[in-house]
Amino acid sequence: MPARTQAKAPSRLTAKGSATRQRIIAAAAELMFDNGAAHTTLEDVRASAGVSGSQVYHYFADKQALVRAVIDHQTEAVLADQQPQLAHLDSLAGLREWRDAIVDHQHRLQRRGGCAIGSLGAEVAETDPAARRLAATGFRRWEAGIREGLRRMHARGELTTAADPDDLALATLAALQGGLLLTQIQRETRPLEVALDSMLDHIASLTVTAVEPAARPAR
């Protein structure tokens, strides 16, 4: 990868420099979420972050480097927001609460923007292989959070032996992403609700239900 497309390593920055760099990334993330990467210029970012053009180029060699930093930023933000629910995805109740939190979040966003990782990743996937790989890594981390909960359910014997937690996690993430895309386009959360409910109903169908002891015959 050409050196000119690399952002300066954060470890080389002073505390003030790191804060300025983060402010630029946060401003770019908000603009790109609202308008897309293609319609966000470095001048837009400079104005939004309240920095000079030279400061932008001091921390980011070019727009590609900034886009990659934004993907990392969005990945961390999404996973941090999801963490309270991801830690409890080892039960049907926890999965339902996670589903409700995602739907509520889309209502707060007014059904705009889609997935913060997926929308930007899809936009640059065919033009910036490094950015695509960063988005793919973000999705793998998200999938891992879902998978760990399902694996715990499986290990406790709460899922049938035929259930594959890894496949279920991937399918759940795919349902989530498809639901978010349709929610963004249609400006309603029903596609997201139906996609997640269908997937969680499928997981529920694979749970092991305790068998009630047979009634003893009357004597």
Side-chain angles (χ1 to χ4, degrees), residues 37-149:
H39 296 286
T40 298
T41 67
L42 291 180
E43 175 59 25
D44 294 332
V45 175
R46 182 204 66 73
S48 180
V51 298
S52 67
S54 62
Q55 283 178 297
V56 173
Y57 283 105
H58 176 72
Y59 298 109
F60 303 99
D62 55 22
K63 185 176 175 180
Q64 277 186 310
L66 179 56
V67 167
R68 294 169 192 169
V70 167
I71 292 175
D72 277 338
H73 171 85
Q74 297 290 52
T75 295
E76 296 303 327
V78 166
L79 294 179
D81 185 64
Q82 293 268 302
Q83 192 54 46
Q85 288 78 38
L86 288 176
H88 299 94
L89 295 190
D90 58 349
S91 70
L92 288 176
L95 287 163
R96 301 287 185 194
E97 289 177 7
W98 173 71
R99 173 265 192 211
D100 291 345
I102 290 172
V103 172
D104 288 345
H105 183 66
Q106 285 302 302
H107 282 300
R108 290 196 299 273
L109 292 176
Q110 299 181 320
R111 285 75 65 192
R112 296 173 58 255
C115 173
I117 303 172
S119 295
L120 184 54
E123 186 178 358
V124 301
E126 306 307 330
T127 58
D128 188 341
R132 180 192 61 77
R133 288 192 293 270
L134 285 173
T137 297
F139 279 132
R140 282 193 291 271
R141 290 176 60 192
W142 200 347
E143 180 189 343
I146 302 170
R147 183 172 62 243
E148 287 309 307

Side-chain angles (χ1 to χ4, degrees), residues 7-10 13 16-26 59-60 65-66 69 72:
K8 286 194 174 183
L13 304 178
K16 182 178 179 181
S18 181
T20 300
R21 181 180 184 274
Q22 189 57 36
R23 188 164 78 251
I24 293 169
I25 294 171
Y59 298 109
F60 303 99
L66 179 56
D72 277 338

